[in-house]
Amino acid sequence: AQSVSQHNHHVILSEAASLELGCNYSYGGTVNLFWYVQYPGQHLQLLLKYFSGDPLVKGIKGFEAEFIKSKFSFNLRKPSVQWSDTAEYFCAVSLTSGTYKYIFGTGTRLKVLA
Amino acid sequence: DAGVIQSPRHEVTEMGQEVTLRCKPISGHDYLFWYRQTMMRGLELLIYFNNNVPIDDSGMPEDRFSAKMPNASFSTLKIQPSEPRDSAVYFCASSYPRGSGEQYFGPGTRLTVT
């Protein structure tokens, strides 16, 4: 069965530190990849997405992610985090054929200390 | 566009009562998804519809849960009878998948069953 793994469940950083959140998926076919953010008490919002083309994707708020097909990975990065980035981050995969449903990772809670 | 609309935003009910959650997807979107989010289990897909037809309800926890989509602009998720373990945030999302399948999430309904 397809699955998505986010290895870091909780991350605590100081402001201006660099961030990298891991995401790996298990599926041999073609996928679309997403990162969503959920600020405290709010709904999920799309940070960035990858369908095809340049494997380095830039999203909102200075976030970027790199798709490495050989590693089945789609890691999220930000060079310098801010206190306002405190949130939960979800990686999601959708298959490009058959179904459009997401397979979500378990999420990573990021806390940025001011 | 107003985005995905959910009502009510908060619901507190007693065990055994019927609960109905409502969702209005973004106009023109032909996929609709219902999710449940809890601390213990994370984000779970309950059911999704395509063109008002249920496609996959394998995530519905038990017969107490039912979902309908009578038309393209309205869906309900019903729990009857409700139990304390149903307490969670329920999200609705919609998508227009030609090309990407990106999902747009509603603000959620926080359900508390006492």
Side-chain angles (χ1 to χ4, degrees), chain A residues 10-19 21 39-40 63 78 80-89 109-114:
Chain A
H10 296 273
V11 174
I12 300 175
L13 295 173
S14 298
E15 274 194 316
S18 64
L19 170 72
L21 301 182
Y39 298 103
F63 286 90
K78 186 171 184 179
S80 175
V81 295
Q82 300 173 317
W83 177 80
S84 58
D85 293 324
T86 295
E88 189 161 14
Y89 294 81
R109 288 182 181 270
L110 171 66
K111 183 170 184 177
V112 180
L113 304 175

Side-chain angles (χ1 to χ4, degrees), chain B residues 51-100:
Chain B
N51 291 321
N52 314 336
V53 176
I55 303 300
D56 183 350
D57 66 354
S58 59
M60 296 286 261
E62 46 195 280
D63 293 345
R64 297 185 297 106
F65 285 69
S66 62
K68 294 182 180 179
M69 192 165 185
N71 58 61
S73 59
F74 184 64
S75 177
T76 60
L77 178 68
K78 186 176 293 187
I79 307 172
Q80 166 63 23
S82 58
E83 296 182 3
R85 60 192 168 123
D86 301 330
S87 297
V89 180
Y90 291 82
F91 289 104
C92 176
S94 69
S95 72
Y96 181 60
R98 294 173 198 176
S100 73

Side-chain angles (χ1 to χ4, degrees), chain A residues 32 34 36 38 41-46 49 51 88 90 94 98-102 104-106 109, chain B residues 9 31 33 35 37 39 43 45 48 56 58 91 95 97 99-108:
Chain A
N32 294 327
F34 306 84
Y36 280 82
Q38 186 178 29
Q42 296 190 24
H43 63 286
L44 276 76
Q45 302 170 44
L46 183 69
K49 57 191 176 186
F51 310 139
E88 189 161 14
F90 293 91
S94 73
T99 175
Y100 286 97
K101 71 177 185 181
Y102 281 177
F104 272 101
T106 51
R109 288 182 181 270
Chain B
R9 294 292 307 276
Y31 279 79
F33 304 82
Y35 292 90
Q37 186 178 37
M39 288 291 291
L43 202 59
L45 176 66
Y48 77 97
D56 183 350
S58 59
F91 289 104
S95 72
S100 73
E102 175 184 340
Q103 294 184 19
Y104 295 79
F105 283 78

